[in-house]
Amino acid sequence: MAERTYLEAIAESLRTEMQRDERVFLIGQDIGAYGGAFKVTNGLQETFGEWRVIDAPLSETAIVGGCTGAALMGLRPVAEMQFADFVSCAWDQLVTVAAKQHWRAGTPVPIVIRLPSGGGFAGGPFHSQNPESSFAHVPGLKIVCPATPSDAKGLLASAVDDPNPVLFFEHKHLYRRIRGDVAEERFTVPIGTARLERDGDDVTLVTWGAMLHVAIEAAAALAAEDVSVEIVDLRSILPWDSDAVLNSVRKTSRLLVLHEDTYTAGFGAEILATVAAESFEYLDAPPQRLTAPDCPVPLAPSLERRFLPQVEDVLHALRELLAY
Amino acid sequence: MHYPHPESSRTQAFRWARTGLMRRCGRIQCQRAVSEVRHANPVASFDEAREIGLDRTDLVSMYRNMLLTRGIEDRGRTLFKQGKIPGSFYTGLGNEASAVAIGSAMGPDDVGTPIQRNIGVHLARGTQPWKILAQYMGRQGGPSVGRDGNVHFAEFDLGLITMVSHLPAMLPVATGCALAFRIRDEQRVAVGWFGDGSSARGDAHEAMNLAGTRELPVVFICNNNHFAYSTPNRLEYAIEHLAERALAYGFDGVVVDGTELLSVYRETHLAIEKARSGGGPTLIESVTLRLEGHGVHDDASYVPRELIDEYRDRDPIDQFHRWLVEHVDFTPDEQRELESAVKQALNEALKLAEASPEPNADSLLDGVYAARDALEAPHFS
Ligand SMILES: Cc1ncc(C[n+]2csc(CCOP(=O)(O)OP(=O)(O)O)c2C)c(N)n1
Ligand SMILES: [Mg+2]
C-alpha cells in the first residue's frame, strides 16, 4: 500500500496498463510533452513515445471515432477529453457508432474515454458538468465514476480490460484534494459493483464521485447525534449495482440519493424508480434525491455554492427523511 | 420544379467565388491558384491496365462484379415492390464501376468503411450475394442478422466495417484504423467513403485533418453523385471540386470519372500504394450521377432530364463492356456466358436468402455488450 492522490492513482494506473499491454495507447489534446491540462499523463510520452501517447488536434469526433477504428483493428485506446463537457462533440461517435457496433456487427469496441468532470472551482457552465446520466440511457456503453484513489486505479484497469466502450468519469475536484491508500500492484475493481463506504442502520445514502466526500462529512456529523447513516458508493452508473442499493434500503427503510448532476432525469431518478418498484414494502419514508438544481453550472463562487449540494444540505435532507 | 444544370451552375458559382477570392487576394497581395486538383486520365489500353497489375481475368472478374451488383439491386427492387423487404431500400445505380474498382484495388489486409452506394465493394471483397439479399429482407443470414437493414452491413472478416446511418460518421473510424496501422508500423491501408452531401459535416473535416496531420495511411473516397437526396451540389458546397479540400489538409486530391471502372481502379490503386509506402492520405472524388431516386420511395423528378440522359449514355457497365470488346476482344459468347452465370448466381442467392429464417425474437437482447472473453488476453511487448 502507498498513499496516493486521486490523480496519482489514475496516472499510475495508466502507466501500469501501458506497461502490461502494448496495445494500450493514449490519445487526447495536449497529453504528450505537456502532460495534459491536469497533468494526469505527465511523463508518459517520455516513457512510451509519440505513437503511444498521441497529441491530437482539437477534434473530439476524430479522437473518439479514431479510437473506435483503432480498437476494431485490435488496439486498446484510452482517450482523454480535456474536460468531460467536450464529450458532447463526440456524442455521435460514442452513441451512434461505438455503443451499437457489437450488437449490430458482433465486433467489440474496447475503448476507454477519460472524462475530467465536475465542479467546485469556478469552472462555469462548460468546465464543470457531470453528464453521466445522458450516457446512462445508451445501451452498449459502460459508465464508471470513482470517488477514491483506490477505486480510480482499479476501475481504470477494469475499463481498459473491458471489451466495451467505457466512460471513465474522473472528478477534477478530487484530483489533488483526495488521498488514500492504494495497492501498489495491479488490481481491478469490477465494473457494476458498489462499495459500502459506511455501515449504518437508520438511513441509506447512495452517492458517487465527489459527492461521496460530502456524504462522509454529513454522516460523521450525524453520528455525533447517534444517527447511523449507511453510505453506498455506487462507483458504476452503467451497469449499476441495484442489489447493493436494494439490500441497504431493505435494512434501513430510508433512502437519499445524492448526486452532483442536475435533478430531472439525473441518475437518481433511475435509482428511486427501481427502489420504489422493488422495495416499496420495506420503505418507511418516500425515497428522496438531493442534487444540483435544473440549471447550468454557474461560475461565481456564491452561485456555485448554491448550485452544488453542500454538507448542510445533506444534513437537512437526511433529518427530514428521518423525521418522516 | 426544374433546377438549372448543376454542372453549369457550379461552374458559374465557382467563377464568382474565384473573382471574389482574387479581389481579396489582390488586397493582401498574394497569388494562390484556386484549384490544384489533378484530373485522372482514362486507361486507354490493355497495356496500361497491365501496368497497374490487371490481367484479362481480373478485368472480366470486375465486369462480373458490376453485373452482379446491378443484378442484386434489381432483385432487391423487385423484392421491395413485393413487400418482402421491411423498411426502406436504396441502390447504387450508376456507381457500380466506382464501387467494384475500389473494392478490387484494396489489398487483402486493407480495411474499409463502405456506404450506401457501395454494394460492389462488398462483392469485390467476397461477400456472398445471398447474404446481401438476406440482409435486405431482414433475415438471420444477413451480415447484420436482421438487427439492421438495407445497406447497413459489412463483413468484418473481409476487412469491412459496417456503416451507421449518420453520415459521414465512419470517416473518423477509417482514420482510426489507419492510426492503428501507423502505431503498429503495418503496411496496411484504410479506405473511408463519404458522399457529396455528407462532405458538409464536421466528421469529414476532423477525419481528414487528423489524417493529414499524422500522414496516416488512409484513402478518402467521395462518391460525388451530384445530389444529396434532393439537394444539388451547388447548395452543398461552394468550391469547384470537393477534391480541392485535400489541399487544405496537406495531401493530394484527385477528381476521377466514377463511371470509368479502370480510371477509378488506377487512381485508387496508386493512392492505396502511396499510403502503404508512407506517402500519407489521398482524397479521390469519384464523379457519377445517382441514376435513380435517393431510395425507392423517391422519383428523383428534381434531377434534370439532360443530366440523366448524359449519364445514361455513360452507363458504367456498358462503358466497360465496350472497353473489354475493344481492348481484350471480349466476345459475344463470353458475354452470354457471363450473363447466364450471373443470372444463375442470383437465382441461387435468392433461394438461399428466402430460405434464411427471420431472426428469433428471443435473441433480441443478445450482444448489447461484448462478453469479457470477446477479446484476446493482453499482449506483452
Ligand atoms: C447526419 C445525417 N443527416 C441526415 C441523413 C439522412 N440522409 C441519408 S442519405 C442522405 C443524403 C446523403 O447524400 P450524399 O452524402 O451525397 O450521399 P448519396 O446518398 O448521394 O450517395 C441524407 C440527407 C443522414 N443519413 N445522416
Ligand atoms: Mg450524393
Side-chain angles (χ1 to χ4, degrees):
Chain A
M1 286 285 177
E3 204 192 50
R4 297 273 183 267
T5 63
Y6 184 84
L7 185 146
E8 287 162 352
I10 295 169
E12 191 170 283
S13 190
L14 288 173
R15 186 176 287 275
T16 307
E17 295 310 309
M18 293 183 79
Q19 274 158 352
R20 175 171 179 265
D21 188 344
E22 64 179 345
R23 297 171 304 177
V24 177
F25 76 92
L26 314 184
I27 183 166
Q29 291 152 30
D30 310 295
I31 66 166
Y34 188 71
F38 297 97
K39 303 291 179 197
V40 177
T41 56
N42 217 8
L44 291 177
Q45 191 177 63
E46 221 175 305
T47 310
F48 297 101
E50 252 197 282
W51 287 98
R52 282 190 72 196
V53 181
I54 301 174
D55 278 315
L58 197 163
S59 291
E60 286 73 14
T61 290
I63 291 170
V64 175
C67 285
T68 297
L72 289 170
M73 294 300 104
L75 293 180
R76 295 297 188 94
V78 179
E80 174 177 305
M81 296 286 105
Q82 200 151 66
F83 285 81
D85 310 66
F86 301 126
V87 75
S88 56
C89 298
W91 171 268
D92 211 21
Q93 286 298 327
L94 278 169
V95 172
T96 305
V97 184
K100 296 174 177 51
Q101 197 70 20
H102 185 263
W103 185 82
R104 294 174 64 235
T107 41
V109 180
I111 63 176
V112 180
I113 313 297
R114 291 181 36 240
L115 300 144
S117 60
F121 48 90
F126 309 115
H127 294 77
S128 310
Q129 297 175 88
N130 295 276
E132 67 265 14
S133 76
S134 308
F135 293 99
H137 198 60
V138 182
L141 298 179
K142 292 192 178 184
I143 301 170
V144 297
C145 300
T148 66
S150 182
D151 281 346
K153 180 171 174 181
L155 279 170
L156 188 51
S158 288
V160 173
D161 268 354
D162 202 281
N164 297 284
V166 182
L167 301 186
F168 185 89
F169 283 90
E170 46 191 67
H171 200 292
K172 303 189 290 289
H173 203 39
L174 304 179
Y175 271 157
R176 293 181 171 80
R177 200 167 53 97
I178 298 299
R179 301 176 162 274
D181 284 339
V182 180
E184 277 168 271
E185 68 279 11
R186 181 185 195 268
F187 64 95
T188 57
V189 169
I191 295 175
T193 61
R195 184 178 60 86
L196 192 64
E197 163 68 31
R198 184 188 175 109
D199 203 8
D201 297 314
D202 300 329
V203 58
T204 296
L205 178 47
V206 175
T207 190
W208 56 92
M211 283 297 127
L212 175 73
H213 304 278
V214 175
I216 289 171
E217 264 190 66
L222 282 185
E225 299 170 20
D226 245 8
V227 174
S228 94
V229 179
E230 175 145 308
I231 300 179
V232 176
D233 176 4
L234 203 58
R235 303 197 291 196
S236 291
I237 300 295
L238 194 62
W240 67 286
D241 193 346
S242 54
D243 286 348
V245 173
L246 291 170
N247 287 337
S248 176
V249 170
R250 284 170 188 166
K251 182 171 77 166
T252 65
S253 301
R254 288 181 160 82
L255 170 68
L256 177 68
V257 176
L258 167 66
H259 63 65
E260 191 181 314
D261 188 11
T262 52
Y263 183 83
T264 301
F267 200 69
E270 182 66 31
I271 298 173
L272 259 63
T274 303
V275 166
E278 312 219 351
S279 288
F280 186 70
E281 65 277 26
Y282 290 86
L283 293 171
D284 286 341
Q288 297 294 347
R289 285 174 279 172
L290 177 62
T291 74
D294 287 333
C295 158
V297 190
L299 181 128
S302 60
L303 293 174
E304 192 176 25
R305 218 188 113 72
R306 173 66 63 83
F307 177 87
L308 294 174
Q310 305 291 321
V311 175
E312 32 318 349
D313 302 325
V314 180
L315 287 171
H316 180 75
L318 286 172
R319 287 200 178 104
E320 289 222 317
L321 200 53
L322 288 158
Y324 182 84
Chain B
M1 198 189 308
H2 187 77
Y3 282 102
H5 190 294
E7 273 306 318
S8 57
S9 63
R10 157 128 328 284
T11 316
Q12 203 176 41
F14 175 63
R15 245 184 248 120
W16 294 334
R18 185 198 291 261
T19 324
L21 235 169
M22 283 178 171
R23 232 183 279 131
R24 260 174 282 142
C25 281
R27 265 212 302 277
I28 58 168
Q29 243 114 97
C30 82
Q31 276 189 327
R32 202 165 57 85
V34 176
S35 176
E36 293 167 25
V37 287
R38 189 164 60 76
H39 289 255
N41 292 321
V43 173
S45 67
F46 187 28
D47 277 347
E48 279 187 42
R50 270 194 291 241
E51 273 167 32
I52 44 174
L54 296 172
D55 61 25
R56 194 180 193 276
T57 315
D58 298 327
L59 297 170
V60 175
S61 147
M62 286 196 281
Y63 181 53
R64 181 181 193 276
N65 277 333
M66 281 204 282
L67 292 175
L68 209 47
T69 302
R70 187 160 291 178
I72 286 172
E73 296 190 332
D74 283 345
R75 299 285 172 122
R77 220 179 280 105
T78 307
L79 289 167
F80 185 83
K81 283 184 193 148
Q82 291 175 329
K84 289 184 180 169
I85 291 182
S88 52
F89 185 64
Y90 304 86
T91 74
L93 194 70
N95 198 50
E96 296 88 347
S98 179
V100 168
I102 298 163
S104 309
M106 291 167 64
D109 294 328
D110 296 342
V111 299
T113 59
I115 51 167
Q116 68 270 30
R117 314 293 174 197
N118 287 350
I119 290 302
V121 174
H122 298 276
L123 291 175
R125 296 294 293 183
T127 298
Q128 299 291 310
W130 78 269
K131 289 192 181 177
I132 301 176
L133 293 173
Q135 167 74 19
Y136 291 161
M137 292 194 277
R139 302 297 174 88
Q140 181 72 28
S144 79
V145 295
R147 292 177 167 202
D148 204 339
N150 54 66
V151 289
H152 296 168
F153 74 93
E155 292 197 280
F156 190 69
D157 294 347
L158 302 176
L160 299 178
I161 298 170
T162 181
M163 68 179 289
V164 296
S165 243
H166 302 43
L167 299 166
M170 299 311 287
L171 286 188
V173 177
T175 295
C177 295
L179 182 64
F181 302 153
R182 176 63 188 77
I183 289 172
R184 288 189 301 226
D185 251 325
E186 294 171 334
Q187 312 296 297
R188 296 168 70 187
V189 177
V191 180
W193 278 264
F194 64 116
D196 47 286
S198 66
S199 74
R201 270 193 79 243
D203 291 32
H205 167 70
E206 291 198 21
M208 288 195 251
N209 186 58
L210 176 59
T213 307
R214 293 278 171 170
E215 295 182 84
L216 299 178
V218 52
V219 175
F220 297 103
I221 310 283
C222 178
N223 285 341
N224 188 344
N225 57 11
H226 284 75
F227 287 87
Y229 209 148
S230 75
T231 309
N233 279 178
R234 69 189 166 82
L235 300 179
E236 293 166 355
Y237 54 90
I239 47 177
E240 188 173 22
H241 301 291
L242 282 168
E244 286 166 28
R245 292 198 182 156
L247 308 179
Y249 299 120
F251 47 86
D252 292 336
V254 189
V255 181
V256 60
D257 180 345
T259 69
E260 283 183 12
L261 178 97
L262 290 178
S263 317
V264 180
Y265 183 94
R266 176 157 65 190
E267 290 309 325
T268 317
H269 169 78
L270 293 174
I272 287 177
E273 295 318 315
K274 177 180 169 189
R276 200 186 304 291
S277 58
T282 305
L283 168 56
I284 298 176
E285 180 180 354
S286 160
V287 182
T288 59
L289 179 69
R290 201 192 65 212
L291 281 175
E292 59 188 340
H294 171 63
V296 278
H297 55 276
D298 169 24
D299 68 4
S301 53
Y302 46 82
V303 180
R305 191 70 245 167
E306 58 275 28
L307 193 59
I308 296 177
D309 291 344
E310 179 200 329
Y311 273 88
R312 282 249 162 83
D313 287 346
R314 290 164 55 197
D315 182 287
I317 296 182
D318 297 345
Q319 265 195 79
F320 191 54
H321 179 244
R322 288 195 296 273
W323 193 97
L324 288 174
V325 171
E326 185 178 341
H327 297 286
V328 297
D329 299 322
F330 192 67
T331 65
D333 277 351
E334 281 180 294
Q335 172 73 10
R336 262 192 303 278
E337 229 170 85
L338 196 55
E339 276 175 3
S340 102
V342 165
K343 187 170 176 189
Q344 201 185 326
L346 290 169
N347 288 345
E348 271 159 29
L350 197 55
K351 237 183 287 163
L352 284 173
E354 291 202 298
S356 177
E358 285 188 19
N360 180 346
D362 292 337
S363 71
L364 175 66
L365 302 181
D366 295 348
V368 173
Y369 290 94
R372 268 304 284 273
D373 57 6
L375 295 170
E376 308 158 57
H379 288 194
F380 296 89
S381 339

